[in-house]
Amino acid sequence: MTDPFILDFHVYYDDTDAGGVVYYANYLKFAERARTAWLRSLGLRSSQLRADHRVLIVVKAATIDYIRPAVLDDLLTLQTRATKMGGSSMHLAQDVYRGPDLVCTMAIVLVCVDAETFRPARWPDAVRGVIAP
Amino acid sequence: MTDPFILDFHVYYDDTDAGGVVYYANYLKFAERARTAWLRSLGLRSSQLRADHRVLIVVKAATIDYIRPAVLDDLLTLQTRATKMGGSSMHLAQDVYRGPDLVCTMAIVLVCVDAETFRPARWPDAVRGVIAP
Amino acid sequence: MTDPFILDFHVYYDDTDAGGVVYYANYLKFAERARTAWLRSLGLRSSQLRADHRVLIVVKAATIDYIRPAVLDDLLTLQTRATKMGGSSMHLAQDVYRGPDLVCTMAIVLVCVDAETFRPARWPDAVRGVIAP
Amino acid sequence: MTDPFILDFHVYYDDTDAGGVVYYANYLKFAERARTAWLRSLGLRSSQLRADHRVLIVVKAATIDYIRPAVLDDLLTLQTRATKMGGSSMHLAQDVYRGPDLVCTMAIVLVCVDAETFRPARWPDAVRGVIAP
């Protein structure tokens, strides 16, 4: 298993809500940013996958477990790794930590689809070659 | 089983992303708005639960299945209903439709917690009396 | 001067931040929603303006004065009215109230642009006919 | 005049809308993040200003001029600098660039207020000592 991709980020006001904590939907926002940064670090970009291979990556399902709240100014670490790779699907584990403490865990299912028909398509070799669960 | 609570709403620009569809995290935003409107329709408010009963309602877990995309100006319908009620937990099914078509399904687990200690607390009778799975 | 267009809405968790108040950028979100609802009430839609007249409406400038904060569960009223109409521009006043109290005022400048070239274009008669500053 | 504070950042999906560009309200989100990072770089934090000096920094007014759109994956640069310092107010210029091209300009007025009464308060020396317009 390869090392997870690490994204460190601070919690800003727009991430929080009046409960004083990170708004629960925003963990999916963090997760999408981490996936984009991860793909970018592997030399992959949505725009280039679309132009070169006529495919899009879409989120099929997401499961989130909220363990403890994060608050304003927290420095969080998001660990992203592929846990399973199918012909046109990919399962990711994306876990958020504050120091040693687990804040939340996310299991994300991505699907590679044809950019025109939106039907499942096989991952391009450009993707398959760089992602090893 | 009681009827689901219905919330109709339009998709606005700020709900969408450059993919031309509703940004995937925003379904949790819709779900939270529907829960708040649902509780309000039952005479319940977070602020009052906190003041009268010293409890908060927090989201423990969320599972989302994305079936088809929604786009700008779509009129969506969100159906919310309790599927299970525990001593301090509640399971909800929150499904988004565009006309007859299912857009996405969400399974949400809420927990009632003490407003000071954040430990699980029994649902106040004010909640238990009006929500029947 | 015609009556302003009125949009009433509640403040939800995702509108607020850890300061306990509505996050300052979200007033522009409310303003955009009010403009869309206003145009819809006049029989106008972005998608139709683009398809029928090959134009887009873009925001050129925005000025916001924050008078008093709004908080969770507040019921706010947003008044929208055109204050000036040019060949390809339109000035709006969009004011947010909580009951009789002014929460914030926004002055917005819109421009009608060609959907291909993004150069200023004259307002279609469909727009000019229904908006009277 | 001191050098502006520079924040570089990428445009992510959640920053954009179905028009394919950065949603117009999100420039205020970028601006707030830049101000927080700028204050942090000067050794200042909201939480510490509140605890040590019983003051809050609030936004009194914002003016935004939209020059050209930014799109997904753009690398943007936000330049922040104080342009005027009053007894309890501060004027900032916050400009967004994509390479040499100006994307948008923001003029922001901040006010230092008493954390209890919300009345204007003099800037603590901790702030005055490190910010020179």
Side-chain angles (χ1 to χ4, degrees):
Chain A
M1 199 177 76
T2 52
D3 287 339
F5 174 79
I6 303 293
L7 183 71
D8 292 316
F9 58 97
H10 280 96
V11 173
Y12 288 91
Y13 266 112
D14 69 280
D15 299 320
T16 61
D17 68 25
V21 301
V22 170
Y23 184 65
Y24 85 131
N26 287 339
Y27 291 100
L28 288 182
K29 190 181 73 174
F30 300 152
E32 183 267 322
R33 292 176 163 239
R35 293 194 301 274
T36 299
W38 174 53
L39 293 176
R40 193 187 287 136
S41 78
L42 298 171
L44 300 171
R45 280 171 172 241
S46 305
S47 49
Q48 162 243 332
L49 287 175
R50 178 169 203 161
D52 294 359
H53 304 282
R54 314 262 167 220
V55 296
L56 302 174
I57 302 177
V58 300
V59 178
K60 183 67 188 150
T63 299
I64 314 170
D65 285 291
Y66 301 95
I67 316 294
R68 34 172 84 70
V71 302
L72 189 67
D73 283 335
D74 272 354
L75 177 59
L76 301 180
T77 299
L78 208 162
Q79 299 192 357
T80 297
R81 60 176 206 279
T83 54
K84 198 167 97 181
M85 191 87 183
S88 61
S89 69
M90 189 192 307
H91 291 239
L92 299 178
Q94 299 196 276
D95 300 328
V96 179
Y97 288 87
R98 181 182 46 218
D101 295 326
L102 190 56
V103 169
C104 99
T105 66
M106 293 177 273
I108 306 287
V109 183
L110 302 177
V111 178
C112 180
V113 300
D114 183 286
E116 301 301 319
T117 65
F118 285 88
R119 290 170 174 276
R122 285 187 63 79
W123 291 109
D125 289 342
V127 174
R128 199 174 289 278
V130 293
I131 297 176
Chain B
M1 199 177 76
T2 52
D3 288 338
F5 175 78
I6 304 293
L7 183 71
D8 293 315
F9 57 96
H10 280 97
V11 173
Y12 287 92
Y13 267 113
D14 69 280
D15 299 319
T16 61
D17 68 25
V21 301
V22 170
Y23 184 65
Y24 85 131
N26 287 339
Y27 291 100
L28 288 182
K29 191 180 71 173
F30 300 152
E32 183 267 323
R33 291 176 164 238
R35 292 194 301 273
T36 299
W38 174 52
L39 292 177
R40 194 187 286 135
S41 77
L42 297 172
L44 301 170
R45 281 171 171 243
S46 306
S47 50
Q48 163 243 333
L49 287 175
R50 178 166 205 163
D52 295 358
H53 305 282
R54 314 262 166 219
V55 295
L56 302 175
I57 302 177
V58 300
V59 178
K60 183 68 189 149
T63 300
I64 314 171
D65 286 290
Y66 299 94
I67 317 293
R68 33 171 85 70
V71 301
L72 189 66
D73 284 336
D74 272 354
L75 177 60
L76 301 180
T77 299
L78 209 163
Q79 300 192 358
T80 297
R81 60 175 206 280
T83 54
K84 199 167 97 180
M85 192 89 184
S88 62
S89 69
M90 189 191 307
H91 291 239
L92 299 179
Q94 299 196 276
D95 300 327
V96 178
Y97 288 88
R98 181 182 47 219
D101 295 327
L102 190 57
V103 169
C104 100
T105 65
M106 293 177 274
I108 307 287
V109 183
L110 303 177
V111 178
C112 180
V113 300
D114 184 286
E116 302 301 319
T117 65
F118 285 88
R119 290 170 174 276
R122 286 188 62 80
W123 290 110
D125 289 342
V127 174
R128 198 175 291 278
V130 293
I131 296 177
Chain C
M1 200 178 77
T2 51
D3 287 339
F5 175 79
I6 303 294
L7 183 72
D8 292 315
F9 57 97
H10 280 96
V11 173
Y12 288 92
Y13 266 112
D14 69 281
D15 299 318
T16 61
D17 68 26
V21 300
V22 170
Y23 183 64
Y24 86 130
N26 287 339
Y27 290 100
L28 288 182
K29 190 180 74 175
F30 300 153
E32 184 266 323
R33 291 176 165 239
R35 292 194 301 273
T36 299
W38 174 52
L39 292 177
R40 193 187 285 136
S41 77
L42 297 171
L44 299 172
R45 281 172 171 241
S46 306
S47 49
Q48 163 242 334
L49 287 175
R50 178 167 204 162
D52 294 359
H53 304 283
R54 314 262 166 219
V55 296
L56 302 174
I57 301 176
V58 301
V59 178
K60 184 68 189 151
T63 300
I64 314 171
D65 286 290
Y66 300 94
I67 316 292
R68 33 171 86 68
V71 301
L72 189 67
D73 283 336
D74 272 353
L75 177 59
L76 302 180
T77 299
L78 208 162
Q79 300 192 358
T80 298
R81 60 176 205 281
T83 54
K84 198 167 96 180
M85 192 90 184
S88 61
S89 69
M90 190 191 308
H91 292 239
L92 299 179
Q94 299 196 277
D95 300 327
V96 179
Y97 288 88
R98 180 181 47 219
D101 294 327
L102 190 57
V103 168
C104 100
T105 66
M106 293 177 273
I108 307 286
V109 182
L110 303 177
V111 178
C112 179
V113 300
D114 184 286
E116 303 301 319
T117 64
F118 285 89
R119 290 170 174 276
R122 286 188 63 79
W123 291 110
D125 289 342
V127 174
R128 198 175 291 278
V130 293
I131 297 176
Chain D
M1 199 177 76
T2 52
D3 286 339
F5 175 79
I6 304 292
L7 183 72
D8 292 316
F9 57 97
H10 280 97
V11 173
Y12 288 92
Y13 267 113
D14 69 281
D15 299 319
T16 61
D17 68 25
V21 301
V22 170
Y23 184 65
Y24 86 130
N26 287 339
Y27 290 100
L28 288 182
K29 190 180 73 176
F30 301 152
E32 184 266 324
R33 291 176 165 239
R35 291 195 301 273
T36 299
W38 174 52
L39 293 177
R40 193 186 287 136
S41 77
L42 297 171
L44 300 171
R45 282 171 171 242
S46 305
S47 50
Q48 163 242 334
L49 287 175
R50 178 168 204 161
D52 294 359
H53 304 282
R54 314 260 167 222
V55 296
L56 302 174
I57 301 176
V58 301
V59 178
K60 183 67 188 150
T63 300
I64 314 169
D65 286 290
Y66 300 94
I67 317 293
R68 33 171 86 68
V71 302
L72 189 66
D73 283 335
D74 272 354
L75 177 59
L76 301 181
T77 299
L78 208 161
Q79 300 193 357
T80 298
R81 61 175 204 281
T83 54
K84 199 167 97 181
M85 192 89 183
S88 62
S89 68
M90 189 191 309
H91 292 238
L92 299 178
Q94 299 196 278
D95 300 327
V96 179
Y97 288 87
R98 180 180 48 218
D101 295 326
L102 189 56
V103 168
C104 99
T105 66
M106 292 178 274
I108 307 286
V109 183
L110 302 177
V111 178
C112 178
V113 301
D114 183 287
E116 302 302 319
T117 65
F118 286 88
R119 289 170 175 277
R122 284 188 63 79
W123 291 110
D125 289 342
V127 174
R128 198 175 291 279
V130 292
I131 297 177

